[in-house]
Amino acid sequence: MTISPAKAAAPDKARRPRRFVFLLLDRFTMISFAGAIEPLRIANRVAGRPLYAWALAGENGAEAVCSNGAAFRLDMGLEEIDREDVLLVCGGIDVQKATTRPVVNWLRREARRGVTIGGLCTGAYALAKAGLLDGRKATIHWENQDGFTEEFEEVRLTKSVFVMDGNRLTTAGGTASIDMMLKIIARDHGDDIANTVADQLIYSSIRTDQDTQRLSIPTRIGVRHPKLSEVIRKMEANIEDPISPADLAEEVGMSTRQLERLFRRYLNRSPKRYYMELRLQKARNLLMQTDMSVINVALACGFASPSHFSKCYRAHYATTPYRERGTQSAPGAAAEE
């Protein structure tokens, strides 16, 4: 029997290693990159054959430096890749500055060719800047969510550790890359290999895209009090239009005095002070991560006037919003794990 060339090539193609191209942006986060590439290496070792291959890419095609100062030799520049490759953008500090016009253009060209593209840590910013996440679900490091939401309203941002929406992949940073890669390995080659890779990594609790990236409120504040947790949840969800302590107390079924005592006992501050700190933290994120005007930042964080905002900001951070904006090398220092 004569076998046609197409059929003869099929088994070889099925066994060809799937290649991941890592675009290393300037000052990318090492832990997110390592969490993505190491599961691929271990999968090859576990399987006893090359299931995966990878290449490191960068705008200059020679070297990329991550946020801890380590340098990586690159395999390629912004060249055309195979349509079957997976392109992962590794972001980190100052991702706005690192997302240059050549990077954006390259991402758009590869997207038009049908390449699967993802963003690790703040790499989602580069995808959004290229318009590749419009109408899609995505995630980014929690510290960058405020600025991201303001700049990219078309993106359906979630708090998940990772999101896989069609051929667009995003992770929140840190060890979230491991979770996503384990899911990809399981989908490609089965749960047994993925679980063995997890064991090799001493990774005993694999998260899914349903898991959120931040600790629960009780864990974060070190207090397991349901009413206190509910009040804090309401505060975090209503930064632009703050709710009065009296209304917060009423919504959880207690008096204002009881709410005051609860905050003093467990958090050593008043509800008003705690709420103010939440609003100022969001304001600082917006100042550092976006090019929003100071007055718009003030309004987005529930301040009626720039003067009141500046006064509160100076009292908390010992500097003014204008000086805070001026200390940044570019609008938007990104999160770092």
Side-chain angles (χ1 to χ4, degrees):
M1 179 184 295
T2 302
I3 301 176
S4 68
K7 291 183 178 179
D12 290 335
K13 184 176 181 180
R15 292 181 63 86
R16 185 190 309 165
R18 185 181 189 188
R19 190 173 75 147
F20 284 75
V21 176
F22 293 91
L23 173 61
L24 306 183
L25 297 182
D26 186 46
R27 302 179 75 191
F28 68 96
T29 302
M30 180 180 279
I31 191 170
S32 295
F33 166 62
I37 199 169
E38 279 297 282
L40 303 179
R41 178 189 67 81
I42 296 171
N44 290 349
R45 178 169 171 260
V46 166
R49 64 184 180 89
L51 303 179
Y52 298 102
W54 48 85
L56 307 186
E59 186 173 351
N60 65 27
E63 182 181 84
V65 179
C66 69
S67 57
N68 66 19
F72 290 77
R73 187 176 67 242
L74 302 177
D75 302 303
M76 59 184 291
L78 304 182
E79 303 153 18
E80 185 175 292
I81 63 176
D82 193 281
R83 287 195 182 109
E84 302 302 317
D85 290 341
V86 177
L87 171 56
L88 296 179
V89 182
C90 302
I93 293 177
D94 289 340
V95 67
Q96 283 96 334
K97 183 178 180 181
T99 304
T100 62
R101 176 56 56 186
V103 165
V104 169
N105 289 341
W106 188 55
L107 293 176
R108 287 172 176 166
R109 285 197 303 270
E110 295 305 317
R112 286 195 294 269
R113 298 177 57 246
V115 173
T116 295
I117 302 177
L120 308 182
C121 192
T122 61
Y125 177 90
L127 272 66
K129 193 69 175 177
L132 307 187
L133 295 180
D134 290 355
R136 305 261 193 157
K137 288 178 62 179
T139 191
I140 197 170
H141 189 280
W142 61 267
E143 197 172 40
N144 293 83
Q145 292 215 343
D146 292 332
F148 189 97
T149 300
E150 292 289 339
E151 187 166 355
F152 304 111
E153 297 180 358
E154 304 84 1
V155 182
R156 295 155 55 199
L157 194 65
T158 77
K159 298 182 184 298
S160 301
V161 292
F162 70 88
V163 172
M164 303 174 73
D165 188 345
N167 62 352
R168 296 291 177 265
L169 321 172
T170 49
T171 75
T175 58
S177 297
I178 298 176
D179 300 291
M180 187 180 76
M181 300 309 286
L182 290 173
K183 184 175 181 68
I184 290 173
I185 292 169
R187 187 181 61 189
D188 290 349
H189 301 286
D191 290 335
D192 287 346
I193 286 183
N195 291 337
T196 303
V197 171
D199 284 341
Q200 287 290 322
L201 290 164
I202 319 297
Y203 203 69
S204 57
S205 181
I206 304 174
R207 294 169 295 184
T208 72
D209 53 2
Q210 300 303 307
D211 290 301
T212 56
Q213 50 183 289
R214 297 197 74 184
L215 297 173
S216 66
I217 290 175
T219 303
R220 267 192 278 144
I221 65 176
V223 178
R224 294 196 174 278
H225 192 293
K227 289 190 176 181
L228 180 61
S229 297
E230 179 62 14
V231 169
I232 292 174
R233 187 193 66 77
K234 289 179 180 294
M235 287 178 172
E236 292 180 346
N238 293 275
I239 298 294
E240 186 170 350
D241 298 301
I243 305 173
S244 70
D247 288 341
L248 286 168
E250 183 179 356
E251 288 182 19
V252 297
M254 58 195 315
S255 69
T256 305
R257 181 173 294 180
Q258 286 175 317
L259 184 65
E260 289 277 351
R261 284 202 299 264
L262 195 62
F263 270 79
R264 290 290 181 189
R265 177 182 176 183
Y266 290 113
L267 298 173
N268 197 32
R269 69 201 74 185
S270 68
K272 184 178 179 180
R273 181 70 239 171
Y274 188 89
Y275 209 166
M276 175 65 72
E277 290 172 1
L278 287 178
R279 292 161 58 199
L280 289 171
Q281 178 60 62
K282 176 173 180 177
R284 188 167 187 268
N285 286 343
L286 292 178
L287 287 170
M288 297 174 70
Q289 299 168 14
T290 74
D291 58 1
M292 291 173 64
S293 67
V294 171
I295 188 170
N296 284 337
V297 169
L299 293 173
C301 298
F303 294 92
S305 70
S307 59
H308 182 226
F309 170 50
S310 186
K311 180 181 177 181
C312 294
Y313 199 95
R314 180 195 288 271
H316 190 63
Y317 289 114
T319 188
T320 68
Y322 298 94
R323 288 176 182 164
E324 187 82 90
R325 167 66 53 75
T327 61
Q328 304 307 309
S329 58
E336 169 70 349
E337 301 298 328

